Amino acid sequence: MLGHLPKKVRIVEVGPRDGLQNEKTIVSLEDKVIFIKMLAAAGMKEIEANSFVRVEKIPQMSDGIELFSSLKKEATLSKTKLISLIPNLIGLENALKAGVTEIAVVTATSNTFNETNINATTDESLKRIDTIVARAHKEGLKTRAYISTVFGCPYEGKTSLAELKRVANHLESLGVYEVSLGDTIGVANPLQVKEIIQFLKADFPLDFFAMHFHDTRGMGVANILASLEMGMTSFDSSAGGLGGCPYAKGASGNVATEDLVFLFSSMGIETGIDMEKLAQASSFILDKLSKGSTSKNLTAYLASKAQTSS
Ligand code: MG
């Protein structure tokens, strides 16, 4: 099995959006720009930077237009792919004004989750996505999609594989370049991960998918290794493990980028990420949030550094 591991992997950093969105402490626009620049300096080539949601819905993301306009002016980010999450057509129009070139859209395999999270049934959400993607493609934007609750739903429990296939097929037919499969509540286990990838393999090219794991129950790295063994090479993660879990108060959410970087680099798999610079970026933002990291590797890295310098 080990012989089949890839030489390199691709990491999509989602901390500035998926991470910060779930943090209560509001980070200033200036600090968000610094954080994103530090992530790029650490080697992150693809960063989910922000979202264009209704201001009253997620205050942390209320500076979408201003933030993105500021990022566009940064020469050091000219080669970084910045992605914006778009919930509706109004959000897309604002994103176009701000100069966004790549967007992400989101739906789920659970009808109840969609109704609760985005106030639409799965079919209604797909219709919404149809109009967003059509307009985005007309404007020359690239689109990525998330499917949430692939491994379990906080309301429905187990979710349907047939529904996963239907939703993924629909998104593929729209021409999104990638679908990220989300373990929204962090309940996936490695065996289930392998079964789902095996199931999808029959109908889709595997490089159509990225894996988006949460570390809520400490299974993030195990699930990534299982995905890797099945041939997956694209992973979403969040610097320092930013972002809690709205379905388990006090628990962690997104798997930490530092944990991925250690996992991959210690097995000789290339990530293109500089651990020292990544640790600096995570420390910077965690300091602004006045909180510690949920990443075991970042904690160990910072502790060993403090020891050698004292
Ligand atoms: Mg997430």
Side-chain angles (χ1 to χ4, degrees):
M1 198 44 131
L2 287 173
H4 297 295
L5 292 182
K7 282 200 168 59
K8 60 177 186 180
V9 289
R10 173 177 154 249
I11 295 180
V12 179
E13 169 61 46
V14 300
R17 199 287 300 175
D18 192 14
L20 284 184
Q21 178 171 314
N22 290 304
E23 298 288 351
K24 277 210 173 63
T25 308
I26 303 289
V27 177
S28 72
L29 185 144
E30 292 72 25
D31 287 340
K32 287 178 185 170
V33 173
I34 294 171
F35 177 45
I36 292 168
K37 284 171 72 177
M38 289 177 92
L39 290 169
M44 293 295 175
K45 292 189 175 60
E46 297 171 68
I47 303 175
E48 192 179 67
N50 69 329
S51 68
F52 288 88
V53 290
R54 282 215 313 271
V55 173
E56 66 276 17
K57 220 174 164 209
I58 306 169
Q60 183 74 275
M61 295 288 128
S62 63
D63 55 4
I65 297 180
E66 297 81 358
L67 174 61
F68 205 90
S69 305
S70 302
L71 294 172
K72 290 295 278 184
K73 290 186 198 130
E74 294 290 339
T76 53
L77 293 173
S78 62
K79 289 201 173 83
T80 311
K81 198 199 259 190
L82 300 169
I83 308 164
S84 299
L85 186 82
I86 304 294
N88 51 40
L89 270 180
I90 298 169
L92 180 60
E93 294 308 328
N94 287 333
L96 288 168
K97 270 183 225 154
V100 166
T101 55
E102 174 153 348
I103 63 163
V105 290
V106 60
T107 186
T109 53
S110 155
N111 211 46
T112 316
F113 186 84
N114 273 329
E115 284 180 325
T116 313
N117 197 40
I118 53 176
N119 201 25
T121 63
T122 303
D123 282 334
E124 285 164 355
S125 95
L126 290 177
K127 277 199 192 108
R128 210 180 271 175
I129 287 173
D130 290 351
T131 57
I132 295 170
V133 171
R135 172 98 174 97
H137 286 178
K138 206 174 146 207
E139 296 293 333
L141 272 56
K142 287 185 76 187
T143 52
R144 182 174 206 251
Y146 286 106
I147 305 180
S148 300
T149 68
V150 169
F151 303 88
C153 168
Y155 314 109
E156 293 184 7
K158 204 172 180 309
T159 52
S160 153
L161 283 184
E163 184 66 350
L164 170 60
K165 192 169 139 182
R166 182 181 82 90
V167 172
N169 258 324
H170 186 96
L171 294 168
E172 190 184 37
S173 75
L174 298 180
V176 309
Y177 75 86
E178 180 174 66
V179 164
S180 177
L181 304 173
D183 180 17
T184 313
I185 49 171
V187 289
N189 68 72
L191 193 61
Q192 180 195 22
V193 167
K194 288 188 174 189
E195 281 167 1
I196 288 181
I197 295 171
Q198 188 67 36
F199 170 79
L200 291 169
K201 218 173 165 176
D203 294 284
F204 303 90
L206 280 189
D207 63 4
F208 181 55
F209 298 106
M211 307 306 285
H212 184 113
F213 288 113
H214 282 198
D215 205 30
T216 316
R217 288 165 185 81
M219 293 292 113
V221 163
N223 290 329
I224 286 164
L225 183 60
S227 309
L228 207 59
E229 287 177 339
M230 290 300 289
M232 304 301 301
T233 54
S234 294
F235 301 93
D236 296 352
S237 61
S238 170
L242 277 186
C245 175
Y247 308 98
K249 221 175 167 216
S252 52
N254 295 304
V255 68
T257 309
E258 286 82 357
D259 292 345
L260 266 69
V261 170
F262 183 81
L263 172 75
F264 295 134
S265 58
S266 64
M267 296 195 299
I269 299 169
E270 221 180 284
T271 64
I273 295 164
D274 180 316
M275 183 58 202
E276 171 60 28
K277 288 183 180 163
L278 173 62
Q280 284 169 8
S282 296
S283 299
F284 169 80
I285 199 74
L286 289 165
D287 186 51
K288 299 293 168 193
L289 295 166
S290 308
K291 66 180 274 188
S293 174
T294 55
S295 165
K296 285 209 164 83
N297 185 52
L298 178 60
T299 307
Y301 182 83
L302 294 175
S304 66
K305 256 192 65 177
Q307 229 163 35
T308 40
S309 62
S310 63

